[in-house]
Amino acid sequence: MNITLDDKFKKKLVESKNIVFFTGAGISAESGIPTFRGEEGIWKKFKPEELANFNAFIRNPDMVWEWYQYRRKIVNEAKPNPAHIAIAEFQKHFKQVSVVTQNVDNLHGRAGSKIIYELHGNIERNFCIKCKSFYTNENFTFTDKVPLCKCGGLIRPDVVWFGESLPMEIFNEAEKAAQWADLLFVVGTSAIVYPAAYIPMNAKQQGVTIVEINIDKTDLTSYADYSFFGKAGEVIPYILNEVINPKT
Ligand code: OAD
Ligand code: ZN
């Protein structure tokens, strides 16, 4: 990591009251959860349209369920990394800290973040497609076959699949939070999946200061006020340290 925080950034940081982190798969990469795109991206090995959509689930529920079992196992074994932990730490130093995440792994929650808008759902939850009853992962023994609800309906993970709409209320709240932020950190996302990617774009149009943290350039880089290239698990703790021990 080779970043420097200039005085203008440091001033903006310490004067901020309301901070929002918009995160994507890259923030969990250092926890051992593969990202979707990029060199190690999971979409290179699996075709998303074959797995992450409702029709695929109806056609072949066991196959889709098995793929989610595989992902649940990875997520279960993963732990929040220094990036998730530093974000939770930010709560001690600012009036309001919110997380808007595209991730379904619940690592922000496990790290202790309190306000979390999950745009794409949460892999720890499931629901029946017929009667909409909710089930946590502890509710049943996981076999490779898709479990059935008491009503006989298929149980699916509570995540947003291709072609499905985002939970509108959560999206609207997240969008408002981002537009009121003094600083919006955009961390570990390729920022190409819409409508989620509207959130930083719209915030930028409202004059919010955008700070990107990523190992590479993205579609958002040219809109960002600051870009810090490095691993989230190194850059965010470094910025937090500037909050705790300002060196001016
Ligand atoms: P992507 O896989 O598209 O992007 C991951 C980003 O993280 C890339 O820009 C990487 O450069 C960056 N990255 C990787 N490792 C990093 C690290 N250690 N520190 C910082 N950055 C790192 O993931 P998302 O943008 O989250 O949607 O993808 C968005 C959505 O596409 C997902 O939520 C999912 C997928 O389709 C649904 O499933 C609905
Ligand atoms: Zn049911």
Side-chain angles (χ1 to χ4, degrees), residues 26-109:
I27 197 168
S28 297
E30 291 159 80
S31 294
I33 302 175
T35 58
F36 295 97
R37 300 170 187 82
E39 279 311 301
E40 295 296 312
I42 205 162
W43 293 144
K44 278 200 175 153
K45 291 176 212 151
F46 300 96
K47 285 209 185 108
E49 61 274 17
E50 278 171 19
L51 292 162
N53 81 65
F54 189 73
N55 289 341
F57 183 64
I58 295 302
R59 252 194 331 265
N60 198 341
D62 288 340
M63 181 183 77
V64 174
W65 187 259
E66 195 182 332
W67 188 59
Y68 276 91
Q69 282 295 78
Y70 161 74
R71 295 193 53 205
R72 279 188 193 97
K73 191 165 173 290
I74 296 174
V75 167
N76 264 343
E77 287 166 4
K79 289 192 187 66
N81 67 51
H84 301 103
I85 293 165
I87 289 176
E89 262 317 276
F90 266 73
Q91 295 173 127
K92 294 188 188 151
H93 305 280
F94 296 90
K95 197 163 168 234
Q96 174 124 324
V97 177
S98 321
V99 176
V100 178
T101 190
Q102 299 164 87
N103 300 344
V104 298
D105 57 30
N106 199 29
L107 289 182
H108 286 296

Side-chain angles (χ1 to χ4, degrees), residues 22-31 34-38 41-43 48 52 67-68 71 81 83 101-104 119-120 159-164 166 187-194 196 212-218 228 230-235:
F22 177 85
T23 67
I27 197 168
S28 297
E30 291 159 80
S31 294
T35 58
F36 295 97
R37 300 170 187 82
I42 205 162
W43 293 144
W67 188 59
Y68 276 91
R71 295 193 53 205
N81 67 51
T101 190
Q102 299 164 87
N103 300 344
V104 298
L119 300 178
H120 292 162
V159 299
V160 176
W161 280 332
F162 284 91
E164 293 184 327
L166 271 60
V187 188
T189 176
S190 54
I192 55 170
V193 174
Y194 288 85
E212 184 177 49
I213 298 171
N214 201 299
I215 51 172
D216 277 323
K217 283 191 176 167
T218 71
F228 298 128
K231 290 184 175 177
E234 293 172 8
V235 178

Side-chain angles (χ1 to χ4, degrees), residues 180-235:
W180 290 339
D182 298 310
L183 267 184
L184 176 66
F185 287 95
V186 180
V187 188
T189 176
S190 54
I192 55 170
V193 174
Y194 288 85
Y198 282 125
I199 288 182
M201 295 294 273
N202 290 347
K204 171 74 189 176
Q205 279 170 10
Q206 300 295 317
V208 176
T209 302
I210 311 289
V211 185
E212 184 177 49
I213 298 171
N214 201 299
I215 51 172
D216 277 323
K217 283 191 176 167
T218 71
D219 281 11
L220 196 83
T221 306
S222 54
Y223 296 90
D225 297 272
Y226 299 92
S227 289
F228 298 128
F229 295 111
K231 290 184 175 177
E234 293 172 8
V235 178

Side-chain angles (χ1 to χ4, degrees), residues 128-133 135 149-153:
C128 164
I129 63 169
K130 217 158 139 193
C131 73
K132 313 289 181 222
S133 295
Y135 292 86
C149 176
K150 293 183 288 284
C151 80

